[in-house]
Amino acid sequence: MSKAISYAAPSAKEPLSFFQFERREVGPKDVQIEILFCGVCHSDLHTARNEWQNSVYPVIPGHEIVGRVMSVGAEVQGFKAGDLAAVGCLVDSCGNCPECSDGLEQYCDQGVYTYNSPDKHTGKMTYGGYSNQIVVQEHFVLHISDKLDLAAVAPLLCAGITTYSPLRHWKVGPGSKVGIVGLGGLGHMGVKLAHAMGAHVVLFTTSPGKAADAKRLGADEVVISKNADEMDKHVNSFDFILNTVAAAHNLDPFLALLKRDGTLCLNGVPEHAHPSPNIAHLIFKRRQLAGSLIGGIPETQEMLDFCAEHNITSDIELIAIQDVNTAYERMIKGDVKYRFVIDMATLNDQA
Ligand code: NAP
Ligand code: ZN
């Protein structure tokens, strides 16, 4: 066991605050990583505040982790002390089911998330990346390029893969007309990735002030989704729309924009359910409503390599860990450009 320090939510109603705990012994297949930067995902906020009604306290959020290897177990082959390394949303899975065999560990029924999941090693819950170090089995540790800004790489581990995976699954590329709904952490990565894949990208936002940024990030067009006239111009025209909005809203205006056989894929996991879609939108054009969960380990590595090749990182605002509660309040207002990343060195200031 080794001592670790973190910021944790003590309950749904209290702000995150300094918390000490222990990481497990480094086993033969484990990699121990000093965490340098950790992104702030809206899922962290949903979990810290028990919006999904499954939080076990204390919650140490954080699943966009980048850092440097401190030590490795005897059987680890792909990493050595001093290497850069990253961890995303998953730290374990059964390894045998059809999902694991296909490299889609995120769909394994026994998958273990990086935080707030039962941890068979400790008998407690898993504790995430708002901490100074983490111990993770090698299979779930990713390689990152030393050519990219490390802090700006962190959000690729959730926001990047969560948008990359559905864009690939629905075969987005040159000739596709793709919509991205919501310009937050996930949405801005969706815009960058869909653009790099060669699609015609339309960004849907509720924030007119984000239009210029959306174009800079790679959107060909920007639509203010509350403006029905602007929406009407795009009826029956999209191959694929990826919806990253973190709150319940009416999906019908987006379904109506899909071509025959087009797909609206949901990434957002809001606290409250969306109103049911009008099934006429599905039936009369054989449209599909789908969902997608992060991405598997092989695809996460593929995404990281794709981002290194195309020089893609997140647009970030680097914060001290002491500012994470303020960052949460700003995230709720949609006031993030476009991902908060915690500089974990500021945690050591506190120790
Ligand atoms: P975020 O940075 O807060 O972005 C969400 C965006 O949604 C906002 O920037 C805003 O964009 C838009 N929005 C419109 N109305 C909103 C409202 N009433 N409340 C909040 N946002 C609103 O969040 P994120 O980190 O990208 O995460 C988005 C959602 O995806 C969350 O629910 C998160 O839990 C979920 N998630 C899912 C997966 C998965 O595997 N499926 C993985 C990670 C996260 P505009 O200002 O442009 O309208
Ligand atoms: Zn996330």
Side-chain angles (χ1 to χ4, degrees):
M1 308 273 265
S2 55
K3 288 199 183 311
I5 52 175
S6 71
Y7 254 50
S11 75
K13 301 278 175 223
E14 289 169 275
L16 278 74
S17 56
F18 188 71
F19 176 70
Q20 302 194 48
F21 66 107
E22 292 197 317
R23 291 293 188 190
R24 70 169 188 255
E25 211 73 56
V26 181
K29 293 181 166 42
D30 286 338
V31 179
Q32 183 182 31
I33 301 164
E34 178 195 4
I35 301 174
L36 299 175
F37 300 102
C38 185
V40 177
C41 179
H42 209 112
S43 302
D44 301 353
L45 188 160
H46 289 308
T47 309
R49 300 190 176 179
N50 198 22
E51 291 180 352
W52 295 333
Q53 275 113 49
N54 67 351
S55 301
V56 178
Y57 293 94
V59 168
I60 303 179
H63 56 205
E64 295 184 336
I65 297 168
V66 297
R68 221 169 256 292
V69 176
M70 300 163 72
S71 68
V72 298
E75 293 172 25
V76 170
Q77 303 206 318
F79 292 90
K80 60 180 188 321
D83 286 351
L84 291 176
V87 177
C89 305
L90 292 167
V91 291
D92 204 356
S93 69
C94 83
N96 299 313
C97 68
E99 281 68 39
C100 288
S101 304
D102 286 346
L104 297 170
E105 297 90 344
Q106 76 274 32
Y107 299 118
C108 172
D109 289 336
Q110 293 169 50
V112 179
Y113 296 109
T114 304
Y115 59 81
N116 198 49
S117 261
D119 185 348
K120 64 174 185 255
H121 297 278
T122 62
K124 298 182 179 169
M125 301 298 271
T126 51
Y127 290 145
Y130 294 6
S131 58
N132 62 335
Q133 56 129 329
I134 191 165
V135 178
V136 179
Q137 58 173 290
E138 181 181 14
H139 181 77
F140 293 88
V141 183
L142 287 308
H143 290 276
I144 47 178
S145 165
D146 60 4
K147 303 207 167 43
L148 300 175
D149 174 26
L150 206 52
V153 166
L156 303 182
L157 276 301
C158 175
I161 184 59
T162 301
T163 49
Y164 182 90
S165 184
L167 291 170
R168 281 286 188 233
H169 182 76
W170 276 278
K171 300 189 168 37
V172 163
S176 335
K177 182 173 174 183
V178 172
I180 304 288
V181 188
L183 197 68
L186 266 56
H188 94 291
M189 289 312 308
V191 168
K192 288 186 184 205
L193 292 167
H195 174 74
M197 290 172 189
H200 181 88
V201 183
V202 181
L203 184 271
F204 295 93
T205 181
T206 59
S207 309
K210 293 180 182 174
D213 273 348
K215 294 228 166 127
R216 174 180 60 78
L217 296 167
D220 298 287
E221 299 177 62
V222 178
V223 171
I224 307 304
S225 53
K226 289 175 180 163
N227 183 331
D229 291 343
E230 275 188 61
M231 294 287 277
D232 277 352
K233 289 184 194 144
H234 293 271
V235 165
N236 293 334
S237 70
F238 281 86
D239 298 288
F240 183 68
I241 299 177
L242 186 61
N243 186 326
T244 73
V245 174
H249 61 287
N250 184 2
L251 303 177
D252 289 336
F254 298 103
L255 284 171
L257 304 190
L258 294 170
K259 276 182 187 163
R260 171 176 55 81
D261 290 324
T263 299
L264 172 63
C265 176
L266 303 180
N267 261 166
V269 189
E271 178 181 9
H272 304 291
H274 297 300
S276 298
N278 177 345
I279 58 168
H281 286 311
L282 301 174
I283 287 170
F284 290 103
K285 291 268 181 211
R286 201 165 57 188
R287 296 174 176 124
Q288 301 181 49
L289 179 59
S292 184
L293 177 67
I294 43 178
I297 296 302
E299 195 172 47
T300 304
Q301 190 61 61
E302 178 190 306
M303 176 275 309
L304 289 166
D305 297 345
F306 178 90
C307 287
E309 187 188 327
H310 293 266
N311 204 20
I312 295 173
T313 53
S314 175
D315 280 34
I316 66 161
E317 188 175 329
L318 196 62
I319 60 167
I321 189 113
Q322 293 79 7
D323 293 330
V324 71
N325 295 300
T326 314
Y328 278 13
E329 292 309 315
R330 285 183 52 194
M331 189 151 63
I332 289 169
K333 294 185 199 136
D335 175 24
V336 189
K337 293 193 169 166
Y338 280 90
R339 195 60 137 187
F340 292 115
V341 172
I342 303 165
D343 179 354
M344 217 47 75
T346 58
L347 185 56
N348 294 316
D349 297 346
Q350 184 122 10

